[in-house]
């Protein structure tokens, strides 16, 4: 029987385990922190649960715009919110673990590393320093760890990483968020909606520098209209405790004082102490494990998936990398990872969802495309729900009209992006896409309307 050891039980690891077990492989999964990994226990699932609560509070605050009068003041009990966050994360972890065990996967709690000395084409894995397994296939899915600045060491109390915020029991009086990428923007948006005073420290001119510039501009305008302070072109270099607060030092000598600070300055791959050098697995200059489009490392039979590869820090991509690794190792038919088909979402308020070709690709001349942008302010359902900010943008090939990308800025943009994602993957032309029925009135109607405008060259 083919044997496989998976180091790390995040989305890349547990999805690979599911596929391998279904294929009759003897699978052992080794995980140090808990089944589901950081994505389930301290990252994606907890943050989106917190954001779900923030969305409700934001809706309640907009009630007067919809003709509803508040007779009782509501309050946010952050201790209860975070208790629910942790409870749901653990429940999801337990569900995944039970599912793997039902399929015959062996789950081991602890650490594992690669070692030389396995016979033939096998790969030696040492688990918890007391068990040795020689396996046909190894998958490394060890994730990342939040990056810390040398002069801003996180203490889990006032200076926090995004994994530590769920220990807070009260809404911070003034939260300083350092970093305006996806993680920083999401938490800034959530705590602002929860009623917290937020200052966002951004080293760039605009928040979300890696996203569609039009979408990022809308989000920054929304943030500022709510009263959030955004310190653009400001790089934080330190954060120190000062009594019951924190002082954040900026590169230009200015300081920002708050009650808490959330450091969202990137992450580092968990690739040390894995025995990679010992067996010859190549890593990149920042420590990411080097893989190709079928998740192979530089050593035959050893694969890697997820954030530790630095390919695309999304749970969906990690899961696909893990599945592809198993399919390739077992000699099954597969499609190599195609990042042009990946749809992603920023869970701010409003959300920003993207797929395929980007505005930057078009503006730089890398991709030839026609595009159109349709503001949601013209959508009847948006008017009914009091939605004032957002848009739908589509890109298509000039010659064929095939849809090759899209952006949605809207509440639940993560749901609205799916038809565009299908259109990109299936190479559907705008001429066909525009004729598909949508419900009236609906936000999805703007997706079809954008296609009609693009087909008719109406800007």
């Amino acid at each position: 029987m083919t044997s496989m050891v998976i180091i790390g039980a995040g989305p890349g690891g547990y999805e690979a385990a599911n596929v391998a077990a279904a294929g009759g492989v003897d699978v052992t999964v080794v995980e140090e922190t808990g089944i589901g990994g950081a994505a389930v226990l301290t990252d994606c699932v907890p943050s989106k649960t917190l954001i779900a609560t923030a969305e409700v509070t934001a809706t309640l605050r907009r009630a007067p715009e919809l003709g509803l009068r508040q007779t009782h003041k509501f309050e946010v009990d952050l201790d209860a919110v975070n208790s629910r966050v942790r409870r749901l994360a653990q429940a999801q972890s337990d569900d995944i673990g039970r599912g793997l065990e039902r399929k015959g996967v062996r789950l081991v709690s602890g650490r594992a590393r690669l070692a030389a000395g396995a016979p033939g084409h096998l790969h030696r894995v040492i688990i918890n320093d007391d068990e040795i397994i020689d396996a046909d296939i190894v998958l490394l899915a060890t994730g990342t760890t939040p990056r810390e600045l040398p002069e801003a060491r996180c203490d889990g109390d006032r200076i926090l990483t995004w994994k530590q915020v769920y220990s807070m029991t009260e809404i911070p009086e003034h939260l300083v968020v350092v970093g305006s990428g996806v993680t920083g923007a999401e938490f800034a948006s959530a705590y602002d909606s929860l009623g917290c005073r937020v200052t966002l420290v951004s080293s760039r001119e605009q928040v979300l520098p890696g996203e569609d510039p039009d979408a990022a501009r809308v989000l920054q305008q929304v943030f500022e209209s709510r009263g959030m302070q955004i310190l653009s072109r400001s790089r934080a270099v330190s954060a120190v405790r000062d009594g019951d607060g924190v002082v954040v030092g900026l590169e230009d000598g200015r300081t920002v004082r708050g009650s808490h600070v959330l450091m969202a300055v990137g992450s580092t791959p968990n690739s040390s102490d894995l025995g990679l050098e010992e067996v010859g697995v190549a890593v990149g200059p920042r420590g990411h494990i080097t893989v190709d489009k079928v998740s192979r490392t530089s050593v035959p039979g050893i694969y890697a998936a997820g954030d530790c590869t630095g390919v695309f820090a999304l749970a969906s991509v990690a899961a696909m990398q893990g599945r592809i690794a198993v399919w390739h190792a077992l000699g099954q038919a597969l499609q190599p990872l195609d990042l042009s088909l990946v749809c992603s979402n920023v869970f701010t308020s409003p959300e920003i969802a993207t797929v395929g070709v980007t505005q930057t690709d078009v503006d730089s001349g890398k991709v030839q495309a026609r595009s159109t942008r349709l503001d949601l302010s013209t959508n009847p359902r948006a008017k009914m729900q009091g939605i004032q900010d957002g848009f739908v943008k589509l890109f298509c090939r000039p010659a064929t009209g095939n849809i090759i990308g899209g952006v949605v800025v809207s509440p639940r943009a993560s749901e609205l992006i799916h038809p565009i994602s299908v259109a990109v993957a299936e190479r559907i032309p705008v001429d066909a896409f525009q004729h598909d029925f949508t419900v009236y009135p609906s936000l999805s109607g703007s997706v079809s309307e954008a296609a009609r405008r693009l087909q008719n060259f109406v800007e």
Side-chain angles (χ1 to χ4, degrees):
M1 176 183 287
T2 301
S3 59
M4 181 177 188
V5 174
I6 299 172
I7 303 177
Y14 72 71
E15 284 291 342
N18 280 324
V19 175
V25 177
D26 180 18
V27 185
T28 297
V29 175
V30 185
E31 169 58 49
E32 183 177 10
T33 60
I35 301 303
V40 170
L41 292 169
T42 58
D43 193 351
C44 189
V45 170
S47 66
K48 277 48 178 183
T49 305
L50 175 72
I51 289 167
T53 299
E55 288 175 349
V56 174
T57 62
T59 300
L60 290 173
R61 289 195 173 93
R62 285 178 32 236
E65 301 173 21
L66 305 178
L68 302 176
R69 186 177 62 198
Q70 269 184 247
T71 57
H72 300 284
K73 182 180 178 181
F74 71 92
E75 296 180 352
V76 176
D77 183 343
L78 190 62
D79 191 18
V81 169
N82 281 336
S83 293
R84 177 175 182 265
V85 166
R86 295 190 297 268
R87 186 170 64 253
L88 290 180
Q90 188 60 56
Q92 181 66 10
S93 173
D94 294 343
D95 284 346
I96 295 169
R98 284 191 292 267
L100 291 173
E101 289 178 330
R102 282 196 299 269
K103 294 175 182 178
V105 175
R106 178 188 175 216
L107 304 178
V108 179
S109 177
R111 294 181 60 86
R113 59 183 174 85
L114 299 168
H121 298 292
L122 297 177
H123 304 283
R124 179 155 292 174
V125 179
I126 300 176
I127 302 174
N128 293 329
D129 294 324
D130 61 9
E131 179 182 358
I132 296 176
I133 297 179
D134 292 333
D136 299 290
I137 311 162
V138 172
L139 175 70
L140 307 171
T142 51
T144 58
T145 297
R147 177 172 167 257
E148 296 186 33
L149 300 180
E151 302 299 322
R153 293 300 180 186
C154 297
D155 60 13
D157 181 26
R158 296 281 174 170
I159 306 174
L160 306 159
T161 70
W162 66 81
K163 293 186 177 185
Q164 297 170 332
V165 294
Y166 310 109
S167 62
M168 290 194 293
T169 58
E170 296 181 349
I171 294 290
E173 179 184 343
H174 179 194
L175 178 65
V176 181
V177 178
V178 176
S180 62
V182 173
T183 300
E186 287 185 345
F187 277 105
S189 179
Y191 279 98
D192 175 75
S193 294
L194 290 171
C196 176
R197 177 186 171 196
V198 175
T199 296
L200 181 58
V201 180
S202 172
S203 63
R204 306 295 185 90
E205 181 65 33
Q206 189 167 269
V207 300
L208 294 176
E211 298 297 319
D212 179 88
D214 291 337
R217 189 175 303 111
V218 168
L219 186 65
Q220 177 144 335
Q221 291 170 350
V222 169
F223 280 176
E224 291 174 336
S225 72
R226 294 174 182 164
M228 186 187 301
Q229 182 182 22
I230 300 177
L231 302 180
S232 299
R233 307 183 77 171
S234 302
R235 187 177 297 277
V237 294
S238 65
V240 295
R241 291 285 297 266
D242 182 25
D244 289 334
V246 178
V247 177
V248 178
L250 306 182
E251 195 172 48
D252 60 9
R254 291 177 296 158
T255 59
V256 183
R257 184 177 295 273
S259 62
H260 298 74
V261 59
L262 170 62
M263 303 301 298
V265 290
S267 58
T268 56
N270 296 327
S271 58
S272 60
D273 299 323
L274 285 178
L276 303 183
E277 292 184 1
E278 188 175 347
V279 298
V281 173
V283 297
R286 295 186 178 182
H288 293 101
I289 301 171
T290 303
V291 293
D292 61 13
K293 292 184 178 181
V294 292
S295 305
R296 291 180 296 190
T297 70
S298 57
V299 177
I302 299 179
Y303 297 78
D307 292 2
C308 66
T309 68
V311 171
F312 212 147
L314 293 173
S316 58
V317 173
M320 183 60 74
Q321 285 181 295
R323 290 189 290 263
I324 287 174
V326 175
W327 292 330
H328 184 272
L330 299 182
Q332 298 177 1
L334 60 90
Q335 179 178 335
L337 184 66
D338 185 351
L339 295 180
S340 70
L341 303 180
V342 174
C343 58
S344 62
N345 193 73
V346 184
F347 288 86
T348 46
S349 180
E351 294 181 1
I352 298 173
T354 56
V355 65
V357 165
T358 67
Q359 187 69 57
T360 302
D361 292 334
V362 176
D363 292 344
S364 66
K366 179 181 177 181
V367 176
Q368 296 297 311
R370 288 192 290 113
S371 67
T372 190
R373 170 179 161 170
L374 178 64
D375 288 343
L376 285 183
S377 59
T378 63
N379 182 287
R381 185 67 180 274
K383 293 175 183 176
M384 297 169 192
Q385 295 181 296
I387 298 169
Q388 300 173 351
D389 306 291
F391 63 81
V392 174
K393 182 190 292 187
L394 294 178
F395 300 96
C396 74
R397 295 285 186 192
T400 64
N402 288 356
I403 296 173
I404 55 175
V407 181
V408 179
V409 180
S410 168
R412 299 290 189 272
S414 49
E415 311 293 343
L416 293 172
I417 197 66
H418 183 249
I420 305 175
S421 177
V422 172
V424 171
E426 302 303 325
R427 299 180 176 84
I428 297 174
V430 290
D431 184 35
F433 193 67
Q434 67 169 328
H435 295 302
D436 293 331
F437 278 95
T438 56
V439 171
Y440 181 88
S442 68
L443 296 182
S444 60
S446 286
V447 179
S448 290
E449 177 62 24
R452 286 190 287 274
R453 289 193 174 202
L454 188 55
Q455 172 66 17
N456 297 318
F457 299 96
V458 177
E459 296 296 331

